[in-house]
Amino acid sequence: MMDSKLPNVGTTIFTTIGKLAHKHNAVNLSQGFPNFGADAALLDLAQQAISSGHNQYAPMQGIYSLREVIADKIESLYGRYYHPENEITITASATQGIFTAISAFIKPNDEVVVFKPAYDCYEPAIELCGGIVVPIQLESANFKIQWDVFKSTISHKTKMVIINTPHNPTGTILSKEDMTQLQLILEGTDIIVVSDEVYEHLVFDGNQHESVAKYKDLATRSIICASFGKTFHVTGWKMGYCAAPKELMAEFQKVHQYVVFCVNHPMQRAVAEYLRTPENYLGLNQFYQQKRDYFLSAIEDSRFIKTPSAGTYFQVLDYSKITAENDIAYAERLIREYKIASIPISVFNLNKQDNQQLRFCFAKTEETLDKAAEILNTL
């Protein structure tokens, strides 16, 4: 029997919970996708692109018009200009962008710092490249980074740091102070930052998204990974982009061209045109904050401990006042007995640390959120 390159990787929690939710016909607040449609204007643009014959290969980097409007968007929001010609690449989802960024730079025995809980695509990519994952657990109550611990972890073996803000699965965001600390600690090193900014337009309560693009030294060493699927409610399109300085992007594209070569052409045309209206993404903060508030208001009388999500479309709930069960067992029991699905946080933690927390997705219709709240209020 052949040796597995990922001996510790099994079926993802999303697949496991998804199958269980389907089997029991549960209200599904587990997986991170909206159950409502995209803007009809965006769908019309995609249809127009298909009808206009844009159905053959796009350029490897992505169509220029899309890269151009992305460059303008980043500059207008964060004050740094990425040249469309050689500093932006369209990817087949942010996940592919993250995988390609890791593959382009990580060699055997290179160390990569990952903050836990972490989205589950980071570590397998590191391990496939022969890299060594160096995990740092976030504080359990507020998911803050302990910067003194991070600083003591950095060594001559550290090749990369992966950050994620707004953060999946916790719904937290990195502050200006956090980014300043990161920049200060990495100053004078050759460490690369992969910055997962998939939920950049989903930041609540008047806060601002702190992109690495806003920080001069961080920007020179960082690869930004972003998603159109998450942003525009079309996760099935699997399209995103990466932005990085020319030297980093040249290495990124060496790998990208042999992973996917290029990305869905008509969808690129549609998104390029849709992005020309900034309101199409600048209004998303308010749109999703209203959904967060609606969900939290609906479960106000429940026994869950609630700290409002600061970003993303996920809400973490602490159930320690309800039961002492571990989170995986409780999540599965909620599906079987109460017909509601969520994601246990421990699967993303260092050593599967269980803090009795579940992640719920509120990117759902009010009808779905009402059904979920009706169940959660009985627990």
Side-chain angles (χ1 to χ4, degrees), residues 108-363:
N109 298 316
D110 284 342
E111 293 187 353
V112 182
V113 175
V114 175
F115 296 101
K116 307 279 283 181
Y119 187 61
D120 63 355
C121 79
Y122 306 153
E123 292 166 69
I126 296 165
E127 292 169 3
L128 280 170
C129 295
I132 299 171
V133 177
V134 180
I136 296 178
Q137 180 67 39
L138 302 179
E139 295 180 0
S140 60
N142 55 20
F143 303 110
K144 294 293 186 182
I145 295 174
Q146 300 177 65
W147 290 110
D148 55 339
V149 174
F150 173 71
K151 186 175 182 179
S152 68
T153 302
I154 296 297
S155 74
H156 68 281
K157 295 181 181 180
T158 308
K159 183 64 177 285
M160 180 179 285
V161 176
I162 300 178
I163 63 172
N164 176 205
T165 184
H167 187 266
N168 178 15
T170 68
T172 57
I173 58 175
L174 293 180
S175 66
K176 181 178 180 179
E177 291 72 25
D178 288 321
M179 301 300 283
T180 302
Q181 281 293 315
L182 177 64
Q183 180 168 255
L184 185 63
I185 293 168
L186 296 185
E187 188 177 359
T189 73
D190 293 324
I191 296 170
I192 295 166
V193 175
V194 170
S195 186
D196 179 349
E197 302 185 19
V198 163
Y199 297 97
E200 63 174 317
H201 298 300
L202 278 63
V203 179
F204 309 139
D205 303 316
N207 292 307
Q208 300 298 313
H209 170 55
E210 297 298 330
S211 172
V212 291
K214 296 173 68 173
Y215 298 85
K216 184 177 180 180
D217 184 67
L218 284 181
T220 62
R221 66 173 74 247
S222 295
I223 303 168
I224 297 171
C225 301
S227 167
F228 295 123
K230 297 288 190 184
T231 301
F232 296 133
H233 327 316
V234 285
T235 58
W237 285 16
K238 296 296 288 180
M239 193 169 74
Y241 66 87
C242 287
K246 180 180 178 180
E247 296 77 14
L248 294 180
M249 188 53 70
E251 294 302 310
F252 178 95
Q253 289 179 353
K254 287 179 183 179
V255 177
H256 172 81
Q257 65 185 335
Y258 294 113
V259 174
V260 294
F261 182 74
C262 66
V263 177
N264 190 305
H265 192 170
M267 300 313 177
Q268 288 191 57
R269 296 278 172 178
V271 172
E273 188 62 34
Y274 195 68
L275 283 174
R276 296 188 189 283
T277 304
E279 289 77 17
N280 287 333
Y281 52 86
L282 294 179
L284 291 171
N285 292 341
Q286 183 178 3
F287 175 79
Y288 276 111
Q289 182 173 329
Q290 288 174 343
K291 286 194 171 294
R292 179 204 66 177
D293 293 346
Y294 186 91
F295 178 57
L296 288 176
S297 176
I299 62 168
E300 182 178 2
D301 295 330
S302 74
R303 291 194 289 166
F304 288 95
I305 300 171
K306 319 158 196 68
T307 300
S309 170
T312 74
Y313 43 52
F314 301 115
Q315 176 64 52
V316 172
L317 298 178
D318 179 321
Y319 65 84
S320 58
K321 291 185 177 180
I322 300 174
T323 177
E325 291 171 88
N326 74 65
D327 62 353
I328 296 176
Y330 188 49
E332 291 178 348
R333 187 164 71 86
L334 286 182
I335 296 172
R336 289 193 304 268
E337 297 183 14
Y338 293 92
K339 305 296 186 290
I340 186 164
S342 60
I343 296 291
I345 296 293
S346 70
V347 299
F348 306 108
N349 281 333
L350 180 60
N351 299 322
K352 300 293 189 289
Q353 178 178 309
D354 180 14
N355 299 313
Q356 296 187 294
Q357 295 165 321
L358 301 175
R359 190 200 77 173
F360 294 83
C361 176
F362 54 80

Side-chain angles (χ1 to χ4, degrees), residues 21-36:
H22 180 73
K23 178 181 178 181
H24 293 277
N25 195 29
V27 178
N28 195 346
L29 269 58
S30 62
Q31 291 179 296
F33 59 82
N35 70 338
F36 46 83

